[in-house]
């Protein structure tokens, strides 16, 4: 029996320091041998958001023992590793540099190949960690920094179909939470509070709902929430606003996803139409429920990563590393950290005032 590849993944693009070892079983499916994630929520809580300098410092303090723990938990000997994959972007440059430099040094010391991974590609491939998923597929990537519909044609081959023209969806959740005086990161808390509220209480705007194809916009929503927050007096009103906000997001994604399906079908001809939803916001159960229903109506197969692989983690980075390792797609040790690194490098930049849709 031939040796199965063993890949170390390292992630430090924002406020999670993470390391993971993955391999394959006899059927060629990925197996996660260890997955260590250390969140910095407590470091940034008092500031209400991620402070880059503090985040980088925290990555530096933790990276050694997190990688060591990932190796110890996996039960492997480091000499058995076949490649080291680190996130090289997009993200905060001071944070990226920690995991990227560590990964390069580790690979060099073991004399093993190094693989520079796009964090967004990690999210895109995250469902492969527990389910069979072949190319092509439609991806909705919803995280704290990104909101995009992408046609995933193959490893490293992306066509962007739609993107947010202002805030990312996770950012909208976090900003709304902040206005409601909910501790950072507020996205998951909004989901909890929304359960106790009346989603029809407040009528919130749905920017570019009837134009712009499957592009998205959430900034106007935040402004509307701000106006209502000023008048709120009771906890019940707070729950109602959380519920109304989440319902509005759901209505926007419902409509835009149907448009994205049509766009996707213009680009690929596939018998089994697959819809992957990934990124931190994919953990939201109400959003999942609605997207599953849309898939049933439109004859798509819905695919979500397990909740533990929705947020930032290193198993998804190792997953990209595994696919790249099998194709011998390695990188040199001078590969730079890339704060901006879109999956579809040919897509037009669509942010800021004066954007034409
Ligand atoms: O993918 P991720 O962990 O980090 C980025 O790459 O950005 O996503 C984090 C985002 C945060 O904005 C967080 O508030 C949001 O995902 N999030 C949620 C939920 N869980 C995490 N938003 C809504 N509902 C949730 N259950
Ligand atoms: Zn992420």
């Amino acid at each position: 029996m031939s040796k199965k590849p063993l890949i170390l993944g390292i992630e430090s693009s924002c406020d999670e320091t993470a390391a993971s070892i993955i391999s394959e079983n006899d059927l060629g499916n990925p197996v996660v041998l260890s997955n260590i994630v250390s969140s910095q929520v407590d470091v940034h809580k008092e500031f209400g958001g991620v402070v880059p300098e503090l985040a980088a410092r925290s990555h530096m303090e933790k990276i050694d023992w997190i990688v060591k723990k990932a190796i110890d938990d996996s039960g492997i000997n480091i000499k058995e590793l076949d490649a080291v994959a680190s996130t090289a972007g997009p993200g905060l440059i001071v944070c990226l540099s920690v995991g990227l430099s560590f990964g390069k040094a580790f690979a060099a010391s073991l004399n093993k190949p190094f693989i520079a991974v796009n964090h967004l590609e990690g999210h895109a491939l995250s469902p492969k960690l527990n389910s069979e998923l072949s190319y092509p597929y439609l991806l909705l990537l919803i995280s704290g920094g990104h909101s995009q519909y992408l046609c995933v044609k193959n490893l490293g081959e992306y066509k962007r179909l739609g993107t947010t023209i202002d805030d990312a969806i996770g950012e909208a959740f976090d900003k709304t939470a902040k206005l409601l005086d909910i501790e950072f990161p507020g996205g998951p808390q909004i989901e909890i509070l929304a359960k106790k509220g009346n989603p029809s209480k407040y009528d919130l705007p749905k920017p570019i709902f009837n134009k712009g194809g499957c592009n998205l916009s959430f900034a106007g929503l935040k402004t509307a929430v701000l106006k209502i927050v000023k008048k709120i007096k009771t906890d019940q009103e707070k729950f109602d606003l959380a519920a109304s906000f989440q319902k509005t997001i759901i209505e926007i994604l419902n409509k835009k996803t149907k448009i994205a399906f049509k766009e996707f079908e213009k680009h690929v001809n596939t018998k089994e139409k697959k819809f992957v939803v990934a990124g931190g916001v994919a953990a939201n159960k109400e959003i999942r429920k609605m997207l599953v229903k849309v898939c049933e109506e439109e004859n798509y197969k819905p695919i979500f990563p397990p909740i533990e692989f929705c947020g930032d983690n290193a198993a998804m980075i190792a997953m990209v590393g595994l696919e790249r390792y099998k194709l011998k797609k390695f990188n040199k040790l001078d590969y730079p950290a890339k704060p901006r690194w879109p999956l579809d490098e040919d897509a037009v930049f669509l942010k800021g005032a004066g954007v034409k849709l």
Side-chain angles (χ1 to χ4, degrees), residues 13 119-120 123 143-144 279-280 310-312 316:
S13 62
H119 177 87
L120 305 177
H123 280 301
S143 70
C310 283
D312 289 347
M316 67 184 194

Side-chain angles (χ1 to χ4, degrees), residues 200-241:
S200 309
K201 174 80 182 278
Y202 300 105
D203 194 18
L204 298 171
K206 299 186 200 107
I208 65 165
F209 196 62
N210 292 315
K211 62 173 185 177
C214 60
N215 287 302
L216 301 155
S217 167
F218 301 106
L221 202 51
K222 174 190 63 195
T223 314
V225 168
L226 175 65
K227 280 190 191 144
I228 298 169
V229 160
K230 287 183 182 156
K231 296 182 204 145
I232 275 184
K233 290 191 184 69
T234 65
D235 275 350
Q236 188 55 50
E237 284 172 319
K238 192 168 158 176
F239 304 151
D240 292 344
L241 185 50

Side-chain angles (χ1 to χ4, degrees), residues 2-147:
S2 64
K3 179 186 180 300
K4 300 291 172 206
L6 275 170
I7 312 293
L8 165 64
I10 298 174
E11 157 65 33
S12 71
S13 62
C14 189
D15 59 343
E16 257 95 27
T17 322
S20 166
I21 308 272
I22 74 166
S23 187
E24 270 187 348
N25 62 18
D26 289 339
L27 299 171
N29 297 324
V31 181
V32 180
L33 300 181
S34 64
N35 181 37
I36 313 296
V37 183
S38 171
S39 167
Q40 303 176 358
V41 165
D42 290 340
V43 176
H44 305 291
K45 217 175 227 171
E46 64 175 296
F47 304 100
V50 177
V51 184
E53 174 63 27
L54 294 181
R57 198 180 278 220
S58 176
H59 286 308
M60 281 197 284
E61 283 164 9
K62 291 189 209 161
I63 191 100
D64 304 70
W65 70 261
I66 285 185
V67 171
K68 182 172 187 315
K69 185 154 172 53
I71 292 165
D72 290 348
D73 282 12
S74 71
I76 66 152
N77 182 314
I78 55 169
K79 295 202 176 98
E80 297 174 274
L81 276 177
D82 292 291
V84 180
S86 284
T87 301
L92 299 165
I93 192 154
V94 283
C95 295
L96 290 165
S97 302
V98 178
L100 185 62
S101 303
F102 192 97
K104 287 174 181 174
F106 209 74
S109 70
L110 293 170
N111 202 17
K112 295 288 158 73
F114 172 72
I115 300 165
V117 175
N118 182 317
H119 177 87
L120 305 177
E121 184 152 50
H123 280 301
L125 267 57
S126 59
K128 293 191 173 212
L129 289 162
N130 81 321
S131 54
E132 252 174 66
L133 174 61
S134 56
Y135 302 107
Y137 53 88
L138 174 65
L139 168 69
L140 170 59
L141 174 60
I142 38 179
S143 70
H146 296 86
S147 303

Side-chain angles (χ1 to χ4, degrees), residues 238-274:
K238 192 168 158 176
F239 304 151
D240 292 344
L241 185 50
S244 303
F245 168 81
Q246 187 171 272
K247 184 191 111 187
T248 307
I249 292 277
I250 286 173
E251 285 173 357
I252 294 171
L253 288 181
N254 180 302
K255 170 141 187 194
K256 297 290 181 173
T257 297
K258 288 180 188 161
I259 299 171
F261 285 171
K262 300 224 157 43
E263 289 291 317
F264 176 68
E265 287 156 33
K266 284 185 204 162
H267 289 275
V268 297
N269 189 4
T270 167
K271 256 195 227 132
E272 195 191 23
K273 294 181 284 187
K274 287 159 285 189

